[in-house]
Amino acid sequence: MKAGIVGLPNVGKSTLFNCLSNAKAQSANFPFCTIEPNIGVVNVPDQRLEKLEELVNPERVVPATVEIVDIAGLVKGASKGEGLGNQFLGNIRETDAILHVLRCFDNDNVVHVDGSVDPIRDKETIDMELQLKDLESVEKKLDKVKRAAKTGNKEAQKEETVLMALKEGLEAGTSVRAITLSEDDWEEFVKPMQLITDKPVMYVCNVDEESATKGNAYVEKVKAAVANENAEVIFLAVGTEADITELETYEERQMFLEDLGLSEPGSAKLIRGAYKLLNLETYFTAGVKEVRAWTIPVGATAPQAAGVIHTDFEKGFIRAEVISYDDYVKYGSEAKVKEAGRMRVEGKEYIVKDGDVMHFRFNV
């Protein structure tokens, strides 16, 4: 699953990407510094994994990961191909969620592509380009569907109604995710189109160091502007985060954070937010060889969770032995959990809960 970092040129996308992935994407004070998308596999910070490591003392620990894609800056006219827009919009289409970076700091030494700092204008510029690209896709589909609908095809007539609702919404400047449709219509007609503005979004306000703990007036404006979007808004000082990641030792990084009044890097909060945005959760396996976090979609069944380890586990699934994370910590070991009668045996219908510690029995 991939989350794509988008925004206007020069708002801090590549610097943020570097903070998240410890990759060294080129970041510089001029537009279109990024052309090809950079991809980083980022560990998801999880204190539960650290606690299980402490209790089990395994040979190795493997965290959950999420892919973050640094997509080049979009500009006004991107939907018509301006600034390599078609290529960049294609890159966004391939992601599962959007991290929309907005510049929320003043600094005369960092140029802004539009000459002044205004995160709401910037947001609307990007939104409009994404909506125009979706409108293009909807209109193409609508032309085909209308022809079928005229022949009396009931399914085509139903789809035509849905596409018209999308067209009207997009023309009015509404992103697809905010257009009201029935769940059935959404699943049948909208999801397969992979429209860009249907993807879940998190707004990342890039603030200065002084605003790292409490935000600023720009952040409050963004929160007010997206209040009806069902989108998350977070803020972090991307330049400061970059300075923290450059420090060599954990102790130095912690001292820097404490001086700022932060308990953890803002990037950790963002990664967890992206994981949640992608509708993902974690279960664990814990043994002396390895303690590992496994990523599954929310609502996955026990066989589906087993299939993440290996497809044979899903095909030959017999049962799952399940310990809740809280019980594992309370009793301190798998053996003591069993003694207390707190290990459960679950079948094929079991919906895995975030934090479950699991063993699978299977036969192929």
Side-chain angles (χ1 to χ4, degrees), residues 2-7 71 74 78-80 84-100 125-138 166 170 174-179 186 190-203 229 277:
K2 285 192 259 190
I5 301 176
V6 306
I71 294 163
L74 293 169
S79 57
K80 303 298 178 195
L84 300 177
N86 288 326
Q87 178 187 333
F88 301 163
L89 287 162
N91 294 334
I92 298 169
R93 198 182 295 283
E94 291 168 12
T95 65
D96 303 289
I98 292 172
L99 307 176
H100 186 161
T125 298
I126 297 289
D127 283 352
M128 185 174 70
E129 295 306 324
L130 301 184
Q131 289 160 5
L132 285 170
K133 199 65 183 174
D134 279 350
L135 183 60
E136 188 184 295
S137 301
V138 169
L166 292 178
L170 287 163
T174 304
S175 292
V176 171
R177 73 181 78 85
I179 296 171
W186 210 270
V190 183
K191 265 194 173 177
M193 292 182 73
Q194 289 187 297
L195 296 168
I196 299 171
T197 66
D198 185 29
K199 298 179 190 298
V201 64
M202 177 194 293
Y203 293 99
E229 281 193 35
L277 196 66

Side-chain angles (χ1 to χ4, degrees), residues 94-317:
E94 291 168 12
T95 65
D96 303 289
I98 292 172
L99 307 176
H100 186 161
V101 181
L102 296 167
R103 176 170 169 177
C104 292
F105 67 90
D106 295 303
N107 185 336
D108 293 339
N109 295 320
V110 180
V111 296
H112 189 290
V113 74
D114 286 330
S116 62
V117 177
D118 184 344
I120 308 307
R121 178 202 58 209
D122 295 354
K123 172 196 173 305
E124 287 169 354
T125 298
I126 297 289
D127 283 352
M128 185 174 70
E129 295 306 324
L130 301 184
Q131 289 160 5
L132 285 170
K133 199 65 183 174
D134 279 350
L135 183 60
E136 188 184 295
S137 301
V138 169
E139 286 176 337
K140 276 184 189 170
K141 188 81 183 279
L142 192 55
D143 285 344
K144 290 179 187 172
V145 171
K146 274 182 174 175
R147 288 196 290 274
K150 279 178 184 171
T151 67
N153 182 314
K154 291 278 190 284
E155 190 70 8
Q157 288 170 352
K158 191 177 168 188
E159 186 170 9
E160 183 183 6
T161 303
V162 173
L163 290 170
M164 283 303 297
L166 292 178
K167 182 175 186 289
E168 287 165 14
L170 287 163
E171 284 175 339
T174 304
S175 292
V176 171
R177 73 181 78 85
I179 296 171
T180 305
L181 291 168
S182 74
E183 191 62 38
D184 288 346
D185 286 346
W186 210 270
E187 289 294 325
E188 190 175 352
F189 302 120
V190 183
K191 265 194 173 177
M193 292 182 73
Q194 289 187 297
L195 296 168
I196 299 171
T197 66
D198 185 29
K199 298 179 190 298
V201 64
M202 177 194 293
Y203 293 99
V204 182
C205 297
N206 181 10
V207 300
D208 52 24
E209 188 172 310
E210 290 71 33
S211 307
T213 54
K214 293 183 180 176
N216 59 27
Y218 289 131
V219 175
E220 294 310 311
K221 282 182 182 176
V222 172
K223 286 180 179 176
V226 306
N228 65 343
E229 281 193 35
N230 193 27
E232 192 173 345
V233 178
I234 71 164
F235 58 87
L236 65 158
V238 174
T240 306
E241 296 276 334
D243 291 341
I244 292 171
T245 59
E246 293 295 328
L247 296 172
E248 289 185 8
T249 68
Y250 173 80
E251 288 73 21
E252 284 177 309
R253 290 193 289 272
Q254 285 305 113
M255 281 175 65
F256 198 141
L257 286 168
E258 283 168 20
D259 286 345
L260 291 172
L262 297 170
S263 58
E264 65 174 356
S267 53
K269 184 170 63 173
L270 188 148
I271 296 164
R272 284 197 297 271
Y275 197 68
K276 189 178 171 187
L277 196 66
L278 290 162
N279 205 32
L280 302 175
E281 62 185 10
T282 302
Y283 76 87
F284 302 101
T285 51
V288 289
K289 290 276 184 196
E290 177 183 270
V291 166
R292 184 167 185 152
W294 298 90
T295 300
I296 53 170
V298 172
T301 62
Q304 288 168 336
V308 173
I309 299 176
H310 198 287
T311 51
D312 285 352
F313 281 34
E314 184 171 2
K315 286 177 194 164
F317 180 89

Side-chain angles (χ1 to χ4, degrees), residues 1-13:
M1 300 289 275
K2 285 192 259 190
I5 301 176
V6 306
L8 289 174
N10 230 22
V11 295
K13 298 183 307 302

